[in-house]
Amino acid sequence: MSHADSSALAHQFDSLAQQKESATLGMWLFLCQEILFFGGLFVTYLLYRWRDPTAFAAGSHELDIVLGGFNTVVLIASSLTMAMAVHSAQTDKRRQLVGYLVATGALGIVFLVVKYFEYSAKWHHHLIPGAGFRFEGAVGGRAELFFSLYFAMTGMHALHMVVGVAVLAWILKRARAGEFGSHYYNPVECFGLYWHFVDIVWIFLFPLLYLIGRHYHGGA
Amino acid sequence: MIAHEMPKSHYLNAEHGLKSWLLTLDHKRIGLLYLLGVSFFFLLGSAFAMLVRLELLTPEGDLMSADAYNHVFTMHGVFMVFFFLIPAIPGVLGNFALPIMIGAKDVAFPKLNLLSWYVFMTGGMFTMYGLLSGGVDTGWTFYPPYSSLYSTSAVLPVGLGVFINGFASILTGVNFMVTVHRMRAPGMTWFRLPLFVWGQYATSLVMVLGTPVIAITLVLLVLERLFHFGIFDAAKGGDPVLFQHLFWFYSHPAVYIMILPAMAVISEVIAAFARKRIFGYHAVAFSSIGIAVLGFFVWGHHMYVSSQSVYAGVVFSLLTMLVAIPSAIKVFNWTFTLYKGAVALEMPMLYAMGFLGLFTIGGLTGVFLATLGFDVHVHDTYFVVAHFHYVMVGGTIMGYLGGLHFWWPKMTGRLYSTFWGKTSGWLVFVGFNLTFFPQFLLGMQGMPRRYHAYPEEWQVLNVLSSAGASVLGVGLILPVIYFLWSLRAGRVAGPNPWGARGLEWETSSPPPTLNFDEPPVVDHEAYDYGPPTDEPAAGAAPAGAR
Amino acid sequence: MPSKLPFFPEQASSFAGDVDALTLWLIGMSAFFTLLIAGLVVIFALRFRRRSPDQVGTKFDESPLLEITWTVIPLLIVLFTFAWGAKVYFRLYRAPAGAAEFHVTGKQWMWKTQHPTGQREINELHLPVGEPAKLLLTSEDVIHSFFIPAFRVKTDVVPGRFTTMWFTPTRTGRYHLFCTEYCGTEHSRMIGWVTVQEPEAYQDWLASVPVPATLRERGEQVFARLGCAECHGGTGGRGPALEGIAGREVELAAGGRVRADENYLRESIVDPGAKVVAGFLPLMPSFRGQVDEEEIGALISYLKSLPEPTTAAAAAASESVIR
């Protein structure tokens, strides 16, 4: 066993296998509670959309499908690069691992930059809920609730992305130092689980927020 | 009587200095850090309780302004629910005892464990900041539109404090679940686990799955208050009752976070002081899981008169009746365990007996409240206040105190004064009943909750209640004194002062940092006290029995 | 009559007896089990005291039969309790047709009540004994709760919607009225009195209070002031005709049907685009801000008073017509 192996075993565990299984189980449990967290938002969304579908369609129509679609592709690609990163760690390919991690982080940052542009466009069009909200069209003020949920849901998601990118930077640092290999790759794997989860949340957000307004044509 | 000596080196003297405590990874030290934290917040919550009871001595609101009173009862609720009742038993007793009871060196994630304490304290500090900037006056339930659009109080820092504190719950829950799954000693199968572990596991299920919902609810409330998003504002198409659904979706399971650990302690204490295996071990274990799961489906019983559909009320009432059953099963099994036991009326056992009586009353009054036709009359009255204090004080606090008295010798190596222990126990029991039983009567007569002033005819019952609160207060202060005293002058306990079975009693008091000198191997079921006999059988009497 | 239960308020409504009987059952059942458990715990703890320091207890094998027994018996008891409670609950929430309808508005920190004949009160409600009364309640600000202990009735009062309750007072007297959902500073002073009188005394009282208009009349005035008939009057209007609208099933433009109850009618006034009737365009402007809660209540009383359309043409006018 190399130097990296013995130092990787934490004191409370008896074996690397026990440590790996524990960390993985811990990450899955954490993701379960994340489902409940976003679940509250989704339930709120479902209730209000059921109550006023026209207002939701009108609000959704204002979102930029191109940017949203682009972001969806970006995130799915980042999940691919993340999965490749995990595979690289498992097969002792350090340089590939670093490359894929960098790609994943870069794609994550692209996502966030696009989000920034989307949000500032909303600002310019007076679509931020609150005192300055103005919605032209038959639906009028009823659209504000849609945008409240839009910002709450994509904002929470973006926050999770930011945390993800920060943790990714830390994993990257360790990867560059040669910590990971076929003997020890669990941190990369667990982080991959988190990254895939955040991706899946977006896969739900995109159609629910962006796609329901496709056939909306200006009625109330 | 064997005289014991403190072990030469143990987790308390292994390292010295503030850093060794603030940066500890030892679950036992973290348990003590939690003890300090929850004790502080309990003191704060109790001070507010005394102010409430003082005000209610007279029908007029003459001690403080209505506004001040509203802040006082709210802060009492916030500190007690979020910073004492939820973290206390898991954080103090679960942290200390659970890894030892399963034969592990520590929890699965010691760093996350320490982090959870810091998160808990940070949440507490945010809330303290909120308190110092005037406090909150919305009730601990934060209902909008009052909390979102009308209250001018410190909803933001307190809401954030509670939100942050939730992460401590989640971290503890994840930690305990993984620990139980992956860190059991060889031979410690699931059905050889002490019931305390089953109870903490069930609690952890609720902590992990329930807490995120209060998190998102508070986020929405904070957004609403900061930006007036409209999510709970009827004028913008929002629904204030949605908040209640989201809030109670967590806050009902939260009460099971409060009671399951107490029940877990009771199982240990009754087994130890009746010196026999808990009757119906499997039933008790499965009931814990059953309560945790069913507890997620009953939240609407807080909302029968909220404008929720009557059909929803019917569904929630039925499910609530069902969740009462596993609790009843446990009470019957615990009671029957005493039959032909070898019962010693030591402090922890007295608390367990108190629990059995008071939790029964508290739980049965829960059935009252689950009953639709009755609840309409007493919802939002003092009947509800009495019910939840019976289960949370008569239940959770009795369990907590029982557990502290049970494991104190293990945690510190010292025994406390039995005389003062029993004195405080009786004061707590009598004081508690005097405080809260009259409140059932007040509620049935129609006295609403959160009232600063009330009709004259209710003064007698209120005075009785306040008198009881003083007695209860004295009873609760005494342990602080005699526990602290025991650290300097208490008799040395030895590894097993109670003659109990369990891995924690097979190591020294206090234990070494890694819990055991030799990692244990388990080859027997929990609570195997052996066949009953009046003389010690070979190998049956545990080492250190008096 | 005074309740059979000590510590319960007097029984002053047709419900009180039912609720008290249910309560008696709950108390009896709970007292039985509490005494049973407490008794057994004390008896066992004393009878089976440890006699020597090393004594251990007698282990019993688990008994599925015992577990099933003390699962099934409590289950039957709680299911019975549930059923009885649900029965009482349904009666509490199903107002009989033809009950006199009172409007109640809660606001920080007072109750404003209106009689169907137009009399208004603050923190008081006079009622005739023996007559069923239905209340339509809403809030102008935060959530309150309207509670009359002697009647055993309560409902939350929520901004943005109507809630309802009903009762038949059975005894003359003065009874406490409380707000029982915490609502801010003066929550404990948002209280009042319900006065139940003999019919003649009630009529005298009604006559003594000046009445600008009955609820129905007031609603008619608001209807005229806002010009509702421009779109909703007669055949071929831009909006559906409103004769007999209250309580009718309505088809929606977005699909689905809804019953035009108080909350739908209210929504159609403040948020008309939300549920447009099938066959009509979303042309109606919102009247939020132009009517307060009491006026909305009055409009609904007026709409409820409109008779069903008598001619085929009038009936057709309330059906879909695309303009």
Side-chain angles (χ1 to χ4, degrees):
Chain A
M1 289 229 285
S2 70
H3 167 73
D5 297 348
S6 48
S7 68
L9 181 64
H11 74 278
Q12 68 272 19
F13 293 116
D14 295 323
S15 72
L16 275 177
Q18 186 191 32
Q19 177 170 302
K20 175 184 198 292
E21 286 164 21
S22 300
T24 307
L25 177 60
M27 178 52 76
W28 278 108
L29 287 173
F30 176 74
L31 294 180
C32 283
Q33 71 80 37
E34 288 279 51
I35 294 176
L36 268 296
F37 182 74
F38 280 98
L41 281 172
F42 279 100
V43 162
T44 304
Y45 168 93
L46 288 174
L47 173 74
Y48 285 141
R49 176 170 158 192
W50 171 72
R51 281 200 183 168
D52 197 351
T54 317
F56 269 58
S60 169
H61 195 68
E62 295 301 313
L63 298 182
D64 190 332
I65 282 185
V66 171
L67 286 182
F70 173 73
N71 256 357
T72 307
V73 171
V74 162
L75 269 195
I76 294 178
S78 79
S79 263
L80 175 62
T81 54
M82 189 64 223
M84 296 306 299
V86 175
H87 180 73
S88 307
Q90 288 169 334
T91 50
D92 283 304
K93 299 194 172 60
R94 192 185 71 95
R95 292 185 63 200
Q96 249 181 278
L97 164 63
V98 170
Y100 279 120
L101 285 175
V102 169
T104 307
L107 288 166
I109 290 174
V110 166
F111 177 93
L112 289 168
V113 167
V114 170
K115 263 277 64 45
Y116 166 78
F117 283 120
E118 282 189 277
Y119 279 9
S120 33
K122 301 283 170 308
W123 170 265
H124 283 117
H125 291 121
H126 302 286
L127 293 175
I128 311 273
F133 184 83
R134 256 190 305 294
F135 192 81
E136 313 300 332
V139 161
R142 279 159 45 209
E144 189 171 2
L145 203 49
F146 171 83
F147 284 99
S148 299
L149 283 165
Y150 168 79
F151 281 105
M153 293 164 90
T154 60
M156 259 310 140
H157 176 263
L159 193 59
H160 281 75
M161 289 287 304
V162 168
V163 170
V165 169
V167 175
L168 176 56
W170 176 62
I171 299 279
L172 177 62
K173 175 170 169 294
R174 295 172 69 185
R176 289 180 67 203
E179 266 189 56
F180 305 123
S182 52
H183 57 282
Y184 179 64
Y185 56 84
N186 195 236
V188 185
E189 198 177 44
C190 283
F191 177 76
L193 285 174
Y194 174 81
W195 192 263
H196 294 314
F197 172 78
V198 179
D199 186 15
I200 290 177
V201 172
W202 178 260
I203 304 291
F204 278 89
L205 287 184
F206 176 64
L208 286 178
L209 291 171
Y210 287 79
L211 298 184
I212 60 169
R214 299 222 56 208
H215 302 291
Y216 175 73
H217 46 55
Chain B
M1 262 290 290
I2 312 170
H4 296 278
E5 279 190 8
M6 290 282 275
K8 271 221 166 39
S9 114
H10 49 79
Y11 80 101
L12 287 170
N13 64 15
E15 286 183 287
H16 292 104
L18 196 57
K19 245 178 81 168
S20 76
W21 280 91
L22 293 179
L23 295 177
T24 183
L25 294 179
D26 181 352
H27 66 98
K28 300 180 289 300
R29 287 192 171 205
I30 294 174
L32 291 180
L33 289 175
Y34 265 104
L35 179 62
L36 284 176
V38 303
S39 300
F40 171 72
F41 293 118
F42 181 74
L43 198 64
L44 215 48
S46 302
F48 288 120
M50 281 316 301
L51 286 173
V52 167
R53 287 313 326 165
L54 273 173
E55 172 66 271
L56 293 177
L57 275 171
T58 57
E60 308 86 28
D62 44 11
L63 185 67
M64 59 187 92
S65 69
D67 207 40
Y69 182 79
N70 296 337
H71 284 77
V72 166
F73 77 68
T74 301
M75 298 316 293
H76 165 68
V78 168
F79 280 116
M80 286 305 206
V81 168
F82 294 112
F83 295 97
F84 176 72
L85 287 165
I86 285 178
I89 300 179
V92 180
L93 301 174
N95 258 323
F96 185 87
L98 188 144
I100 313 179
M101 290 168 97
I102 65 172
K105 289 179 230 165
D106 207 306
V107 291
F109 309 118
K111 291 187 199 155
L112 286 187
N113 204 9
L114 182 66
L115 179 65
S116 83
W117 182 77
Y118 277 104
V119 169
F120 162 68
M121 293 303 288
T122 305
M125 290 306 116
F126 263 80
T127 310
M128 291 289 299
Y129 172 75
L131 172 64
L132 292 170
S133 38
V136 185
D137 71 342
T138 60
W140 79 275
T141 47
F142 293 110
Y143 278 13
Y146 183 71
S147 64
S148 55
L149 300 174
Y150 289 83
S151 171
T152 53
S153 66
V155 175
L156 282 178
V158 173
L160 281 172
V162 173
F163 171 78
I164 291 169
N165 185 44
F167 287 103
S169 249
I170 293 171
L171 288 172
T172 300
V174 171
N175 222 338
F176 282 2
M177 285 178 78
V178 178
T179 304
V180 176
H181 274 282
R182 292 270 159 248
M183 316 271 287
R184 285 168 283 127
M188 176 67 86
T189 59
W190 280 89
F191 290 114
R192 284 179 177 168
L193 286 169
L195 289 166
F196 179 79
V197 181
W198 276 99
Q200 288 293 347
Y201 183 85
T203 308
S204 303
L205 263 174
V206 185
M207 282 167 133
V208 170
L209 295 177
T211 313
V213 181
I214 190 75
I216 193 62
T217 309
L218 290 168
V219 165
L220 289 176
L221 185 64
V222 164
L223 289 177
E224 183 78 352
R225 230 179 127 74
L226 279 174
F227 304 117
H228 197 178
F229 268 13
I231 292 181
F232 303 124
D233 183 2
K236 290 192 169 187
D239 186 353
V241 180
L242 174 66
F243 176 89
Q244 295 179 36
H245 282 288
L246 290 171
F247 177 84
W248 288 112
F249 188 86
Y250 163 74
S251 297
H252 187 81
V255 313
Y256 298 116
I257 296 178
M258 300 176 214
I259 200 64
L260 280 168
M263 292 173 154
V265 169
I266 297 307
S267 288
E268 293 310 306
V269 168
I270 290 186
F273 293 94
R275 287 246 178 91
K276 57 181 281 203
R277 180 174 164 86
I278 294 288
F279 186 79
Y281 170 97
H282 288 81
V284 175
F286 288 131
S287 291
S288 302
I289 305 292
I291 292 170
V293 171
L294 277 173
F296 275 98
F297 297 105
V298 300
W299 77 90
H301 65 227
H302 298 268
M303 299 169 60
Y304 290 154
V305 299
S306 67
S307 79
Q308 168 180 274
S309 137
V310 297
Y311 300 106
V314 168
V315 170
F316 282 118
S317 174
L318 180 60
L319 289 168
T320 308
M321 295 296 182
L322 295 182
V323 81
I325 299 301
S327 293
I329 292 173
K330 287 188 171 194
V331 170
F332 292 129
N333 276 295
W334 287 321
T335 304
F336 198 65
T337 304
L338 296 175
Y339 179 72
K340 291 208 176 162
V343 179
L345 296 177
E346 302 278 4
M347 272 320 298
M349 184 55 159
L350 292 177
Y351 274 114
M353 288 167 66
F355 176 97
L356 285 174
L358 298 179
F359 173 73
T360 298
I361 296 177
L364 285 170
T365 51
V367 174
F368 277 69
L369 291 166
T371 306
L372 289 160
F374 177 79
D375 182 74
V376 171
H377 178 58
V378 297
H379 170 76
D380 259 338
T381 67
Y382 262 84
F383 192 93
V384 179
V385 176
H387 158 72
F388 64 66
H389 282 92
Y390 262 83
V391 279
M392 297 202 294
V393 182
T396 302
I397 294 191
M398 289 271 169
Y400 177 64
L401 289 174
L404 267 185
H405 284 77
F406 184 47
W407 280 305
W408 185 262
K410 179 58 55 183
M411 288 157 74
T412 62
R414 302 279 181 175
L415 292 166
Y416 45 83
S417 155
T418 311
F419 169 77
W420 285 109
K422 292 191 178 175
T423 305
S424 93
W426 278 109
L427 286 173
V428 166
F429 186 80
V430 170
F432 167 79
N433 279 296
L434 189 56
T435 309
F436 293 106
F437 199 84
Q439 293 185 8
F440 282 125
L441 306 175
L442 283 169
M444 297 201 328
Q445 289 183 30
M447 180 171 171
R449 287 174 73 168
R450 300 170 166 176
Y451 260 37
H452 171 228
Y454 54 82
E456 255 182 28
E457 60 257 35
W458 290 333
Q459 184 171 20
V460 173
L461 288 171
N462 271 291
V463 169
L464 283 174
S465 179
S466 297
S470 324
V471 176
L472 176 61
V474 172
L476 289 172
I477 291 183
L478 285 175
V480 178
I481 303 174
Y482 64 72
F483 276 145
L484 285 175
W485 176 90
S486 78
L487 293 177
R488 307 193 102 244
R491 212 167 50 226
V492 175
N496 195 352
W498 311 121
R501 299 291 286 174
L503 288 176
E504 75 268 36
W505 304 109
E506 292 176 24
T507 187
S508 61
S509 307
T513 301
L514 292 176
N515 295 335
F516 299 96
D517 293 321
E518 295 284 328
V521 174
V522 178
D523 58 3
H524 52 79
E525 57 180 17
Y527 321 112
D528 66 328
Y529 286 91
T533 160
D534 281 354
E535 304 121 51
R546 280 189 259 121
Chain C
M1 55 186 293
S3 173
K4 286 193 185 64
L5 290 162
F7 298 110
F8 249 48
E10 38 188 357
Q11 296 179 342
S13 82
S14 51
F15 297 131
D18 297 327
V19 172
D20 290 5
L22 177 59
T23 309
L24 208 54
W25 154 251
L26 284 163
I27 293 177
M29 181 267 293
S30 303
F32 171 76
F33 279 105
T34 303
L35 291 171
L36 177 70
I37 297 293
L40 286 177
V41 166
V42 170
I43 290 170
F44 289 165
L46 293 175
R47 165 96 174 67
F48 300 107
R49 285 287 274 274
R50 198 177 288 177
R51 312 240 173 251
S52 69
D54 297 332
Q55 186 190 357
V56 296
T58 308
K59 177 188 158 182
F60 292 97
D61 286 333
E62 294 180 37
S63 164
L65 180 61
L66 206 47
E67 301 293 341
I68 290 174
T69 306
W70 61 41
T71 301
V72 168
I73 293 180
L75 185 62
L76 291 173
I77 292 174
V78 296
L79 288 177
F80 168 75
T81 309
F82 155 75
W84 189 356
K87 184 157 158 272
V88 174
Y89 183 67
F90 272 112
R91 278 240 298 287
L92 284 168
Y93 279 95
R94 290 213 171 119
E101 194 172 284
F102 296 74
H103 289 193
V104 177
T105 309
K107 76 178 221 81
Q108 288 174 322
W109 289 279
M110 65 167 79
W111 293 105
K112 300 192 278 189
T113 61
Q114 287 189 73
H115 293 243
T117 41
Q119 286 80 354
R120 294 149 149 256
E121 308 185 71
I122 302 249
N123 293 332
E124 298 258 353
L125 182 60
H126 283 72
L127 294 165
V129 70
E131 309 264 341
K134 177 180 166 186
L135 268 52
L136 195 64
L137 306 102
T138 187
S139 166
E140 284 181 21
D141 40 36
V142 300
I143 300 180
H144 302 274
S145 193
F146 191 84
F147 176 38
I148 309 171
F151 291 5
R152 315 288 189 271
V153 292
K154 171 187 294 134
T155 182
D156 278 4
V157 171
V158 183
R161 78 181 62 174
F162 288 113
T163 50
T164 59
M165 72 195 308
W166 82 278
F167 43 75
T168 302
T170 50
R171 193 169 185 238
T172 57
R174 247 161 90 78
Y175 308 107
H176 282 297
L177 160 65
F178 296 119
C179 172
T180 197
E181 180 62 59
Y182 174 72
C183 56
T185 311
E186 299 294 343
H187 167 60
S188 38
R189 299 209 171 85
M190 192 166 159
I191 64 178
W193 294 98
V194 174
T195 307
V196 179
Q197 300 173 297
E198 294 294 347
E200 316 83 53
Y202 176 67
Q203 292 302 326
D204 290 341
W205 177 85
L206 282 178
S208 71
V209 178
V211 177
T214 66
L215 278 172
R216 196 206 75 82
E217 285 164 0
R218 187 128 179 272
E220 193 173 12
Q221 289 164 10
V222 178
F223 194 86
R225 183 184 100 221
L226 297 174
C228 309
E230 281 174 38
C231 299
H232 289 287
T235 55
R238 259 165 282 163
L242 298 174
E243 280 73 24
I245 183 71
R248 188 199 295 153
E249 282 264 309
V250 167
E251 277 211 37
L252 298 177
R257 320 188 101 231
V258 77
R259 206 173 69 80
D261 62 6
E262 292 97 346
N263 278 312
Y264 174 75
L265 293 173
R266 185 184 184 288
E267 187 183 37
S268 302
I269 297 168
V270 298
D271 232 342
K275 294 194 182 71
V276 179
V277 175
F280 291 90
L281 292 172
L283 297 172
M284 178 174 168
S286 165
F287 285 88
R288 176 178 277 128
Q290 296 184 57
V291 279
D292 63 30
E293 293 299 337
E294 287 173 38
E295 287 171 327
I296 294 176
L299 275 169
I300 289 175
S301 286
Y302 171 63
L303 292 172
K304 282 179 173 176
S305 73
L306 295 177
E308 288 285 338
T310 48
T311 66
S318 59
E319 297 297 309
S320 59
V321 175
I322 307 279
R323 282 289 128 171

